[in-house]
Each structure stands twice: as structure tokens, then as C-alpha cells.
Amino acid sequence: MLHDRLLVAPDQDSSERRSSSGIVIPATAVMGKRLAWAEVVAAGPQVRQVAVGDHVLFDPEDRAEVEVNATDYTLLRERDIHAVSQPEEADSSTGLYL
């Protein structure tokens, strides 16, 4: 990866969603603008706040898709990331987590 680029693997389960009451919402249902989660697979040398293995939130409409070894990935810039989710550590103090 070059500069501030990120290669992410979009979550496959984000196509269908389930409401809080248990109703399955298919991927073809038209809804408002919805952000998507993905796992960072590779990062360029100038990426500062995201590491490989982090889960990131991004806008799926502003993306470039690429296929590598029959696997679909998304190419993003670091500035296109809206949030980073890191796993909660068991022995850490309380705080805000995504």
C-alpha cells in the first residue's frame, strides 16, 4: 500500500440486518445512507491512527473496489474513515467503545 491508503475487507454479514424486534431486513431494502464496517487488511506507511486488524467504519458509496486472489477488498484513504473499533480489554478501566 502506498501513502495513506488502506485495504479493507468489508464484513459479509452487513448485507442483511435484523431489527431490534427480530425482523430480518434484506439487503435490497431501500434505506437512508448507511455506513459499513470492515477489517483493515493492509495499511500504507503514512497511515497514523489505524492498524492492521482494526475494524473501521466507512461510507460504502465513496469507495474503490478491487479483487485480489478472488477476494473482494475496498481501497480507502485514511481520511475516509469515520470511526475505529478496537476490542475491549478485560482488565481495562471503563470507557467509550464502538
Side-chain angles (χ1 to χ4, degrees), residues 63-76:
R63 64 180 179 183
E65 294 181 354
V66 64
E67 183 178 336
V68 178
N69 294 331
T71 305
D72 291 327
Y73 294 105
T74 302
L75 186 62
L76 301 169

mmCIF file with all atom_site columns, all heavy atoms in Angstrom, residues 63-76:
data_model
loop_
_atom_site.group_PDB
_atom_site.id
_atom_site.type_symbol
_atom_site.label_atom_id
_atom_site.label_alt_id
_atom_site.label_comp_id
_atom_site.label_asym_id
_atom_site.label_entity_id
_atom_site.label_seq_id
_atom_site.pdbx_PDB_ins_code
_atom_site.Cartn_x
_atom_site.Cartn_y
_atom_site.Cartn_z
_atom_site.occupancy
_atom_site.B_iso_or_equiv
_atom_site.pdbx_formal_charge
_atom_site.auth_seq_id
_atom_site.auth_comp_id
_atom_site.auth_asym_id
_atom_site.auth_atom_id
_atom_site.pdbx_PDB_model_num
ATOM 1   N N   . ARG A 1 63 ? -16.017 4.630   -2.345 1.00 0.00 ? 63 ARG A N   1
ATOM 2   C CA  . ARG A 1 63 ? -15.013 3.576   -2.257 1.00 0.00 ? 63 ARG A CA  1
ATOM 3   C C   . ARG A 1 63 ? -14.572 3.127   -3.639 1.00 0.00 ? 63 ARG A C   1
ATOM 4   O O   . ARG A 1 63 ? -15.230 3.386   -4.634 1.00 0.00 ? 63 ARG A O   1
ATOM 5   C CB  . ARG A 1 63 ? -15.560 2.386   -1.488 1.00 0.00 ? 63 ARG A CB  1
ATOM 6   C CG  . ARG A 1 63 ? -16.734 1.727   -2.205 1.00 0.00 ? 63 ARG A CG  1
ATOM 7   C CD  . ARG A 1 63 ? -17.259 0.570   -1.430 1.00 0.00 ? 63 ARG A CD  1
ATOM 8   N NE  . ARG A 1 63 ? -18.389 -0.021  -2.129 1.00 0.00 ? 63 ARG A NE  1
ATOM 9   C CZ  . ARG A 1 63 ? -19.090 -1.009  -1.673 1.00 0.00 ? 63 ARG A CZ  1
ATOM 10  N NH1 . ARG A 1 63 ? -18.796 -1.521  -0.516 1.00 0.00 ? 63 ARG A NH1 1
ATOM 11  N NH2 . ARG A 1 63 ? -20.091 -1.500  -2.343 1.00 0.00 ? 63 ARG A NH2 1
ATOM 12  N N   . ALA A 1 64 ? -13.440 2.438   -3.653 1.00 0.00 ? 64 ALA A N   1
ATOM 13  C CA  . ALA A 1 64 ? -12.931 1.807   -4.865 1.00 0.00 ? 64 ALA A CA  1
ATOM 14  C C   . ALA A 1 64 ? -12.760 0.322   -4.541 1.00 0.00 ? 64 ALA A C   1
ATOM 15  O O   . ALA A 1 64 ? -12.062 -0.027  -3.598 1.00 0.00 ? 64 ALA A O   1
ATOM 16  C CB  . ALA A 1 64 ? -11.602 2.428   -5.266 1.00 0.00 ? 64 ALA A CB  1
ATOM 17  N N   . GLU A 1 65 ? -13.433 -0.520  -5.297 1.00 0.00 ? 65 GLU A N   1
ATOM 18  C CA  . GLU A 1 65 ? -13.357 -1.957  -5.049 1.00 0.00 ? 65 GLU A CA  1
ATOM 19  C C   . GLU A 1 65 ? -12.253 -2.573  -5.896 1.00 0.00 ? 65 GLU A C   1
ATOM 20  O O   . GLU A 1 65 ? -12.012 -2.154  -7.027 1.00 0.00 ? 65 GLU A O   1
ATOM 21  C CB  . GLU A 1 65 ? -14.692 -2.623  -5.369 1.00 0.00 ? 65 GLU A CB  1
ATOM 22  C CG  . GLU A 1 65 ? -15.805 -2.188  -4.438 1.00 0.00 ? 65 GLU A CG  1
ATOM 23  C CD  . GLU A 1 65 ? -17.123 -2.865  -4.754 1.00 0.00 ? 65 GLU A CD  1
ATOM 24  O OE1 . GLU A 1 65 ? -17.206 -3.589  -5.769 1.00 0.00 ? 65 GLU A OE1 1
ATOM 25  O OE2 . GLU A 1 65 ? -18.061 -2.665  -3.984 1.00 0.00 ? 65 GLU A OE2 1
ATOM 26  N N   . VAL A 1 66 ? -11.597 -3.586  -5.328 1.00 0.00 ? 66 VAL A N   1
ATOM 27  C CA  . VAL A 1 66 ? -10.531 -4.283  -6.033 1.00 0.00 ? 66 VAL A CA  1
ATOM 28  C C   . VAL A 1 66 ? -10.622 -5.768  -5.667 1.00 0.00 ? 66 VAL A C   1
ATOM 29  O O   . VAL A 1 66 ? -11.045 -6.117  -4.573 1.00 0.00 ? 66 VAL A O   1
ATOM 30  C CB  . VAL A 1 66 ? -9.149  -3.688  -5.666 1.00 0.00 ? 66 VAL A CB  1
ATOM 31  C CG1 . VAL A 1 66 ? -8.823  -3.895  -4.209 1.00 0.00 ? 66 VAL A CG1 1
ATOM 32  C CG2 . VAL A 1 66 ? -8.067  -4.271  -6.526 1.00 0.00 ? 66 VAL A CG2 1
ATOM 33  N N   . GLU A 1 67 ? -10.245 -6.618  -6.613 1.00 0.00 ? 67 GLU A N   1
ATOM 34  C CA  . GLU A 1 67 ? -10.263 -8.055  -6.374 1.00 0.00 ? 67 GLU A CA  1
ATOM 35  C C   . GLU A 1 67 ? -8.822  -8.562  -6.392 1.00 0.00 ? 67 GLU A C   1
ATOM 36  O O   . GLU A 1 67 ? -8.082  -8.346  -7.352 1.00 0.00 ? 67 GLU A O   1
ATOM 37  C CB  . GLU A 1 67 ? -11.078 -8.770  -7.453 1.00 0.00 ? 67 GLU A CB  1
ATOM 38  C CG  . GLU A 1 67 ? -11.201 -10.256 -7.222 1.00 0.00 ? 67 GLU A CG  1
ATOM 39  C CD  . GLU A 1 67 ? -12.063 -10.920 -8.287 1.00 0.00 ? 67 GLU A CD  1
ATOM 40  O OE1 . GLU A 1 67 ? -12.892 -10.230 -8.899 1.00 0.00 ? 67 GLU A OE1 1
ATOM 41  O OE2 . GLU A 1 67 ? -11.877 -12.126 -8.483 1.00 0.00 ? 67 GLU A OE2 1
ATOM 42  N N   . VAL A 1 68 ? -8.420  -9.229  -5.309 1.00 0.00 ? 68 VAL A N   1
ATOM 43  C CA  . VAL A 1 68 ? -7.079  -9.793  -5.186 1.00 0.00 ? 68 VAL A CA  1
ATOM 44  C C   . VAL A 1 68 ? -7.221  -11.269 -4.813 1.00 0.00 ? 68 VAL A C   1
ATOM 45  O O   . VAL A 1 68 ? -7.825  -11.590 -3.787 1.00 0.00 ? 68 VAL A O   1
ATOM 46  C CB  . VAL A 1 68 ? -6.255  -9.049  -4.115 1.00 0.00 ? 68 VAL A CB  1
ATOM 47  C CG1 . VAL A 1 68 ? -4.875  -9.678  -3.961 1.00 0.00 ? 68 VAL A CG1 1
ATOM 48  C CG2 . VAL A 1 68 ? -6.143  -7.577  -4.448 1.00 0.00 ? 68 VAL A CG2 1
ATOM 49  N N   . ASN A 1 69 ? -6.684  -12.145 -5.653 1.00 0.00 ? 69 ASN A N   1
ATOM 50  C CA  . ASN A 1 69 ? -6.765  -13.596 -5.411 1.00 0.00 ? 69 ASN A CA  1
ATOM 51  C C   . ASN A 1 69 ? -8.202  -14.047 -5.151 1.00 0.00 ? 69 ASN A C   1
ATOM 52  O O   . ASN A 1 69 ? -8.480  -14.768 -4.195 1.00 0.00 ? 69 ASN A O   1
ATOM 53  C CB  . ASN A 1 69 ? -5.859  -14.013 -4.258 1.00 0.00 ? 69 ASN A CB  1
ATOM 54  C CG  . ASN A 1 69 ? -4.403  -13.813 -4.578 1.00 0.00 ? 69 ASN A CG  1
ATOM 55  O OD1 . ASN A 1 69 ? -3.999  -13.872 -5.742 1.00 0.00 ? 69 ASN A OD1 1
ATOM 56  N ND2 . ASN A 1 69 ? -3.606  -13.560 -3.567 1.00 0.00 ? 69 ASN A ND2 1
ATOM 57  N N   . ALA A 1 70 ? -9.125  -13.595 -5.980 1.00 0.00 ? 70 ALA A N   1
ATOM 58  C CA  . ALA A 1 70 ? -10.550 -13.958 -5.920 1.00 0.00 ? 70 ALA A CA  1
ATOM 59  C C   . ALA A 1 70 ? -11.229 -13.508 -4.627 1.00 0.00 ? 70 ALA A C   1
ATOM 60  O O   . ALA A 1 70 ? -12.247 -14.055 -4.241 1.00 0.00 ? 70 ALA A O   1
ATOM 61  C CB  . ALA A 1 70 ? -10.733 -15.454 -6.135 1.00 0.00 ? 70 ALA A CB  1
ATOM 62  N N   . THR A 1 71 ? -10.682 -12.512 -3.957 1.00 0.00 ? 71 THR A N   1
ATOM 63  C CA  . THR A 1 71 ? -11.291 -11.945 -2.756 1.00 0.00 ? 71 THR A CA  1
ATOM 64  C C   . THR A 1 71 ? -11.532 -10.465 -3.004 1.00 0.00 ? 71 THR A C   1
ATOM 65  O O   . THR A 1 71 ? -10.653 -9.756  -3.479 1.00 0.00 ? 71 THR A O   1
ATOM 66  C CB  . THR A 1 71 ? -10.364 -12.122 -1.538 1.00 0.00 ? 71 THR A CB  1
ATOM 67  O OG1 . THR A 1 71 ? -10.049 -13.506 -1.397 1.00 0.00 ? 71 THR A OG1 1
ATOM 68  C CG2 . THR A 1 71 ? -11.031 -11.637 -0.276 1.00 0.00 ? 71 THR A CG2 1
ATOM 69  N N   . ASP A 1 72 ? -12.731 -9.996  -2.669 1.00 0.00 ? 72 ASP A N   1
ATOM 70  C CA  . ASP A 1 72 ? -13.080 -8.593  -2.874 1.00 0.00 ? 72 ASP A CA  1
ATOM 71  C C   . ASP A 1 72 ? -12.624 -7.750  -1.689 1.00 0.00 ? 72 ASP A C   1
ATOM 72  O O   . ASP A 1 72 ? -12.867 -8.095  -0.529 1.00 0.00 ? 72 ASP A O   1
ATOM 73  C CB  . ASP A 1 72 ? -14.590 -8.432  -3.044 1.00 0.00 ? 72 ASP A CB  1
ATOM 74  C CG  . ASP A 1 72 ? -15.075 -9.034  -4.347 1.00 0.00 ? 72 ASP A CG  1
ATOM 75  O OD1 . ASP A 1 72 ? -14.315 -8.996  -5.328 1.00 0.00 ? 72 ASP A OD1 1
ATOM 76  O OD2 . ASP A 1 72 ? -16.211 -9.540  -4.379 1.00 0.00 ? 72 ASP A OD2 1
ATOM 77  N N   . TYR A 1 73 ? -11.943 -6.651  -1.992 1.00 0.00 ? 73 TYR A N   1
ATOM 78  C CA  . TYR A 1 73 ? -11.481 -5.704  -0.990 1.00 0.00 ? 73 TYR A CA  1
ATOM 79  C C   . TYR A 1 73 ? -11.934 -4.305  -1.388 1.00 0.00 ? 73 TYR A C   1
ATOM 80  O O   . TYR A 1 73 ? -12.339 -4.070  -2.520 1.00 0.00 ? 73 TYR A O   1
ATOM 81  C CB  . TYR A 1 73 ? -9.951  -5.707  -0.893 1.00 0.00 ? 73 TYR A CB  1
ATOM 82  C CG  . TYR A 1 73 ? -9.373  -6.997  -0.385 1.00 0.00 ? 73 TYR A CG  1
ATOM 83  C CD1 . TYR A 1 73 ? -8.751  -7.884  -1.253 1.00 0.00 ? 73 TYR A CD1 1
ATOM 84  C CD2 . TYR A 1 73 ? -9.425  -7.328  0.962  1.00 0.00 ? 73 TYR A CD2 1
ATOM 85  C CE1 . TYR A 1 73 ? -8.202  -9.067  -0.792 1.00 0.00 ? 73 TYR A CE1 1
ATOM 86  C CE2 . TYR A 1 73 ? -8.879  -8.521  1.431  1.00 0.00 ? 73 TYR A CE2 1
ATOM 87  C CZ  . TYR A 1 73 ? -8.271  -9.379  0.546  1.00 0.00 ? 73 TYR A CZ  1
ATOM 88  O OH  . TYR A 1 73 ? -7.738  -10.546 1.002  1.00 0.00 ? 73 TYR A OH  1
ATOM 89  N N   . THR A 1 74 ? -11.825 -3.381  -0.447 1.00 0.00 ? 74 THR A N   1
ATOM 90  C CA  . THR A 1 74 ? -12.141 -1.982  -0.698 1.00 0.00 ? 74 THR A CA  1
ATOM 91  C C   . THR A 1 74 ? -10.901 -1.156  -0.392 1.00 0.00 ? 74 THR A C   1
ATOM 92  O O   . THR A 1 74 ? -10.239 -1.370  0.617  1.00 0.00 ? 74 THR A O   1
ATOM 93  C CB  . THR A 1 74 ? -13.309 -1.530  0.190  1.00 0.00 ? 74 THR A CB  1
ATOM 94  O OG1 . THR A 1 74 ? -14.433 -2.371  -0.076 1.00 0.00 ? 74 THR A OG1 1
ATOM 95  C CG2 . THR A 1 74 ? -13.690 -0.102  -0.090 1.00 0.00 ? 74 THR A CG2 1
ATOM 96  N N   . LEU A 1 75 ? -10.602 -0.215  -1.265 1.00 0.00 ? 75 LEU A N   1
ATOM 97  C CA  . LEU A 1 75 ? -9.450  0.665   -1.110 1.00 0.00 ? 75 LEU A CA  1
ATOM 98  C C   . LEU A 1 75 ? -9.945  2.026   -0.630 1.00 0.00 ? 75 LEU A C   1
ATOM 99  O O   . LEU A 1 75 ? -10.822 2.629   -1.254 1.00 0.00 ? 75 LEU A O   1
ATOM 100 C CB  . LEU A 1 75 ? -8.725  0.797   -2.443 1.00 0.00 ? 75 LEU A CB  1
ATOM 101 C CG  . LEU A 1 75 ? -7.425  1.568   -2.464 1.00 0.00 ? 75 LEU A CG  1
ATOM 102 C CD1 . LEU A 1 75 ? -6.391  0.890   -1.585 1.00 0.00 ? 75 LEU A CD1 1
ATOM 103 C CD2 . LEU A 1 75 ? -6.911  1.683   -3.884 1.00 0.00 ? 75 LEU A CD2 1
ATOM 104 N N   . LEU A 1 76 ? -9.409  2.495   0.494  1.00 0.00 ? 76 LEU A N   1
ATOM 105 C CA  . LEU A 1 76 ? -9.828  3.760   1.097  1.00 0.00 ? 76 LEU A CA  1
ATOM 106 C C   . LEU A 1 76 ? -8.627  4.618   1.435  1.00 0.00 ? 76 LEU A C   1
ATOM 107 O O   . LEU A 1 76 ? -7.510  4.118   1.547  1.00 0.00 ? 76 LEU A O   1
ATOM 108 C CB  . LEU A 1 76 ? -10.590 3.491   2.406  1.00 0.00 ? 76 LEU A CB  1
ATOM 109 C CG  . LEU A 1 76 ? -11.838 2.639   2.360  1.00 0.00 ? 76 LEU A CG  1
ATOM 110 C CD1 . LEU A 1 76 ? -12.263 2.283   3.770  1.00 0.00 ? 76 LEU A CD1 1
ATOM 111 C CD2 . LEU A 1 76 ? -12.948 3.373   1.651  1.00 0.00 ? 76 LEU A CD2 1
#
